[in-house]
Amino acid sequence: MTDTTQQPFHPPSGFAWPDGKKFAASLTFDVDAEAGALAFDSTFHRRMSLMSHQSYGPTVAVPKLLAMLEHHAIRATFFVPGYTADLYPDMVRAIVDGGHEVAHHGWMHEKTTSLTDAQEAEMLDRGLESLDRVGVRPVGYRAPWWEYNYRTTDMLLERGFAYDSSLLDGDVPYRFTSGESAAGDLVEIPVDWALDDWEQFGFYPEWTGSGLIESPRKALQMWSDEATVAATAGNCFVLTNHPFISGRPTRLSALSQLVEHITSLDGVWFATLQQIAEHSAKTLSDIQIHRRLPDPGPQPGQSGDGHPLGRPNDNL
């Protein structure tokens, strides 16, 4: 079998990692807990079994994940919705006490594409207030569902954020801003749906998932392959996990094996996203601008305004 990591379409990225490191790897955890389900349907609070499925994350899984991370002596980034921080302040403190980063993930894991400007601003501020109550002032943001809006950049800059990790258009970090007159810029640390445990294991009846729950062995192989290629190409490997999903015993075991594989790769820098963002802000000079595409209008065969699935919120 051909070793695809050595093919010419995997050239070194040229990104300058610190201290001679060849690539970066970061474990990130979205601690959605009950917020992830309640944002989908607030009446779900009546469903005791579903709420127990979600509370497994902060009450059972996070302590195990913290122990696993301590065993491997690595630091991770935990994205915590404000509602989760309000429900589980001691969990947030335990994450911080373990030397890990806590970052912003909305207040109730909102569907941001349905929010107005004022509502998104309120979401950000309520999340900040919740984290502030447990002594955390985050510098990082991850949009719920990775649904980052064109207006979000200016909102984050106004609130002193340093980086985002919601977009999917890169293999390494980059700096970006909203326009030539913007007051500053952010570091983007890109993500990828192939590196998200929800797509492998996420399922709950009448809420989410296809009903197919993959084997942890499959996910371990897939993510190990991704990390191996990232090491060869000099990329930034960012894995997104959810404690209520990947804190289950066999998946936690596979995650630990993945860490062992990554640490065995030559030149790895295991870091929090904050550390990666700080390094990127210091070493990158180019600043990108994400410009919104114009509405292409109705396409052949479409009627009306050309939006057969419904027009998204006009405030976006």
mmCIF file of all heavy atoms in Angstrom, residues 117-136:
data_model
loop_
_atom_site.group_PDB
_atom_site.id
_atom_site.type_symbol
_atom_site.label_atom_id
_atom_site.label_comp_id
_atom_site.label_asym_id
_atom_site.label_seq_id
_atom_site.Cartn_x
_atom_site.Cartn_y
_atom_site.Cartn_z
ATOM 1 N N ASP A 117 -28.509 40.825 15.254
ATOM 2 C CA ASP A 117 -27.272 41.400 15.791
ATOM 3 C C ASP A 117 -27.353 41.525 17.313
ATOM 4 O O ASP A 117 -26.433 41.135 18.033
ATOM 5 C CB ASP A 117 -27.023 42.781 15.185
ATOM 6 C CG ASP A 117 -26.691 42.733 13.709
ATOM 7 O OD1 ASP A 117 -27.082 41.764 13.037
ATOM 8 O OD2 ASP A 117 -26.044 43.680 13.219
ATOM 9 N N ALA A 118 -28.458 42.089 17.790
ATOM 10 C CA ALA A 118 -28.598 42.321 19.228
ATOM 11 C C ALA A 118 -28.628 41.010 19.993
ATOM 12 O O ALA A 118 -28.063 40.906 21.093
ATOM 13 C CB ALA A 118 -29.863 43.133 19.502
ATOM 14 N N GLN A 119 -29.261 40.007 19.435
ATOM 15 C CA GLN A 119 -29.343 38.714 20.116
ATOM 16 C C GLN A 119 -27.988 38.025 20.170
ATOM 17 O O GLN A 119 -27.644 37.409 21.178
ATOM 18 C CB GLN A 119 -30.372 37.828 19.418
ATOM 19 C CG GLN A 119 -31.804 38.291 19.624
ATOM 20 C CD GLN A 119 -32.781 37.596 18.679
ATOM 21 O OE1 GLN A 119 -32.393 37.065 17.626
ATOM 22 N NE2 GLN A 119 -34.050 37.612 19.029
ATOM 23 N N GLU A 120 -27.195 38.122 19.103
ATOM 24 C CA GLU A 120 -25.865 37.510 19.146
ATOM 25 C C GLU A 120 -24.981 38.234 20.147
ATOM 26 O O GLU A 120 -24.207 37.598 20.873
ATOM 27 C CB GLU A 120 -25.223 37.507 17.760
ATOM 28 C CG GLU A 120 -23.876 36.805 17.773
ATOM 29 C CD GLU A 120 -23.308 36.499 16.397
ATOM 30 O OE1 GLU A 120 -24.006 36.718 15.390
ATOM 31 O OE2 GLU A 120 -22.154 36.008 16.332
ATOM 32 N N ALA A 121 -25.096 39.558 20.205
ATOM 33 C CA ALA A 121 -24.329 40.311 21.197
ATOM 34 C C ALA A 121 -24.728 39.902 22.610
ATOM 35 O O ALA A 121 -23.866 39.742 23.494
ATOM 36 C CB ALA A 121 -24.545 41.804 20.992
ATOM 37 N N GLU A 122 -26.022 39.716 22.834
ATOM 38 C CA GLU A 122 -26.487 39.273 24.153
ATOM 39 C C GLU A 122 -25.945 37.877 24.470
ATOM 40 O O GLU A 122 -25.544 37.597 25.610
ATOM 41 C CB GLU A 122 -28.008 39.269 24.204
ATOM 42 C CG GLU A 122 -28.560 38.815 25.545
ATOM 43 C CD GLU A 122 -30.080 38.718 25.567
ATOM 44 O OE1 GLU A 122 -30.712 38.936 24.519
ATOM 45 O OE2 GLU A 122 -30.625 38.395 26.646
ATOM 46 N N MET A 123 -25.930 36.994 23.486
ATOM 47 C CA MET A 123 -25.388 35.655 23.679
ATOM 48 C C MET A 123 -23.935 35.720 24.138
ATOM 49 O O MET A 123 -23.532 35.045 25.094
ATOM 50 C CB MET A 123 -25.485 34.858 22.383
ATOM 51 C CG MET A 123 -24.855 33.478 22.432
ATOM 52 S SD MET A 123 -24.502 32.778 20.801
ATOM 53 C CE MET A 123 -22.989 33.648 20.377
ATOM 54 N N LEU A 124 -23.144 36.537 23.451
ATOM 55 C CA LEU A 124 -21.737 36.656 23.819
ATOM 56 C C LEU A 124 -21.582 37.216 25.225
ATOM 57 O O LEU A 124 -20.786 36.713 26.027
ATOM 58 C CB LEU A 124 -21.020 37.556 22.810
ATOM 59 C CG LEU A 124 -20.827 36.976 21.407
ATOM 60 C CD1 LEU A 124 -20.312 38.055 20.456
ATOM 61 C CD2 LEU A 124 -19.868 35.799 21.418
ATOM 62 N N ASP A 125 -22.357 38.249 25.547
ATOM 63 C CA ASP A 125 -22.213 38.898 26.853
ATOM 64 C C ASP A 125 -22.694 37.994 27.984
ATOM 65 O O ASP A 125 -22.063 37.930 29.049
ATOM 66 C CB ASP A 125 -22.984 40.219 26.871
ATOM 67 C CG ASP A 125 -22.329 41.280 25.992
ATOM 68 O OD1 ASP A 125 -21.109 41.174 25.755
ATOM 69 O OD2 ASP A 125 -23.038 42.198 25.540
ATOM 70 N N ARG A 126 -23.780 37.271 27.773
ATOM 71 C CA ARG A 126 -24.258 36.366 28.821
ATOM 72 C C ARG A 126 -23.249 35.237 29.051
ATOM 73 O O ARG A 126 -23.026 34.818 30.198
ATOM 74 C CB ARG A 126 -25.624 35.796 28.462
ATOM 75 C CG ARG A 126 -26.739 36.811 28.507
ATOM 76 C CD ARG A 126 -28.108 36.183 28.276
ATOM 77 N NE ARG A 126 -28.545 35.373 29.415
ATOM 78 C CZ ARG A 126 -29.731 34.770 29.482
ATOM 79 N NH1 ARG A 126 -30.578 34.854 28.459
ATOM 80 N NH2 ARG A 126 -30.070 34.065 30.552
ATOM 81 N N GLY A 127 -22.642 34.758 27.977
ATOM 82 C CA GLY A 127 -21.611 33.746 28.144
ATOM 83 C C GLY A 127 -20.418 34.268 28.928
ATOM 84 O O GLY A 127 -19.871 33.575 29.794
ATOM 85 N N LEU A 128 -20.006 35.487 28.619
ATOM 86 C CA LEU A 128 -18.898 36.103 29.342
ATOM 87 C C LEU A 128 -19.229 36.291 30.822
ATOM 88 O O LEU A 128 -18.391 36.044 31.696
ATOM 89 C CB LEU A 128 -18.542 37.444 28.709
ATOM 90 C CG LEU A 128 -17.812 37.395 27.371
ATOM 91 C CD1 LEU A 128 -17.724 38.789 26.750
ATOM 92 C CD2 LEU A 128 -16.412 36.804 27.512
ATOM 93 N N GLU A 129 -20.447 36.725 31.093
ATOM 94 C CA GLU A 129 -20.851 36.939 32.488
ATOM 95 C C GLU A 129 -20.843 35.627 33.264
ATOM 96 O O GLU A 129 -20.414 35.586 34.428
ATOM 97 C CB GLU A 129 -22.245 37.575 32.524
ATOM 98 C CG GLU A 129 -22.278 39.017 32.027
ATOM 99 C CD GLU A 129 -23.690 39.498 31.715
ATOM 100 O OE1 GLU A 129 -24.658 38.730 31.967
ATOM 101 O OE2 GLU A 129 -23.834 40.632 31.224
ATOM 102 N N SER A 130 -21.312 34.552 32.634
ATOM 103 C CA SER A 130 -21.323 33.254 33.311
ATOM 104 C C SER A 130 -19.911 32.775 33.617
ATOM 105 O O SER A 130 -19.633 32.289 34.725
ATOM 106 C CB SER A 130 -22.046 32.218 32.449
ATOM 107 O OG SER A 130 -23.411 32.553 32.286
ATOM 108 N N LEU A 131 -19.012 32.899 32.647
ATOM 109 C CA LEU A 131 -17.635 32.474 32.870
ATOM 110 C C LEU A 131 -16.929 33.376 33.877
ATOM 111 O O LEU A 131 -16.098 32.917 34.667
ATOM 112 C CB LEU A 131 -16.876 32.442 31.544
ATOM 113 C CG LEU A 131 -17.344 31.368 30.554
ATOM 114 C CD1 LEU A 131 -16.612 31.511 29.231
ATOM 115 C CD2 LEU A 131 -17.149 29.965 31.120
ATOM 116 N N ASP A 132 -17.286 34.659 33.854
ATOM 117 C CA ASP A 132 -16.686 35.589 34.811
ATOM 118 C C ASP A 132 -17.041 35.198 36.249
ATOM 119 O O ASP A 132 -16.222 35.359 37.164
ATOM 120 C CB ASP A 132 -17.157 37.007 34.513
ATOM 121 C CG ASP A 132 -16.489 38.036 35.414
ATOM 122 O OD1 ASP A 132 -15.253 38.179 35.333
ATOM 123 O OD2 ASP A 132 -17.201 38.691 36.211
ATOM 124 N N ARG A 133 -18.239 34.655 36.445
ATOM 125 C CA ARG A 133 -18.663 34.267 37.792
ATOM 126 C C ARG A 133 -17.820 33.122 38.350
ATOM 127 O O ARG A 133 -17.784 32.913 39.574
ATOM 128 C CB ARG A 133 -20.143 33.883 37.786
ATOM 129 C CG ARG A 133 -21.083 35.073 37.733
ATOM 130 C CD ARG A 133 -22.515 34.671 38.051
ATOM 131 N NE ARG A 133 -23.157 33.997 36.935
ATOM 132 C CZ ARG A 133 -23.823 34.618 35.963
ATOM 133 N NH1 ARG A 133 -23.918 35.951 35.965
ATOM 134 N NH2 ARG A 133 -24.393 33.942 34.993
ATOM 135 N N VAL A 134 -17.165 32.360 37.474
ATOM 136 C CA VAL A 134 -16.271 31.296 37.955
ATOM 137 C C VAL A 134 -14.802 31.676 37.753
ATOM 138 O O VAL A 134 -13.922 30.823 37.771
ATOM 139 C CB VAL A 134 -16.578 29.950 37.261
ATOM 140 C CG1 VAL A 134 -17.895 29.397 37.771
ATOM 141 C CG2 VAL A 134 -16.585 30.072 35.757
ATOM 142 N N GLY A 135 -14.559 32.964 37.545
ATOM 143 C CA GLY A 135 -13.192 33.466 37.502
ATOM 144 C C GLY A 135 -12.467 33.283 36.192
ATOM 145 O O GLY A 135 -11.231 33.304 36.158
ATOM 146 N N VAL A 136 -13.213 33.123 35.084
ATOM 147 C CA VAL A 136 -12.598 32.913 33.776
ATOM 148 C C VAL A 136 -12.930 34.079 32.860
ATOM 149 O O VAL A 136 -14.095 34.461 32.710
ATOM 150 C CB VAL A 136 -13.104 31.603 33.128
ATOM 151 C CG1 VAL A 136 -12.588 31.480 31.697
ATOM 152 C CG2 VAL A 136 -12.668 30.396 33.954
#
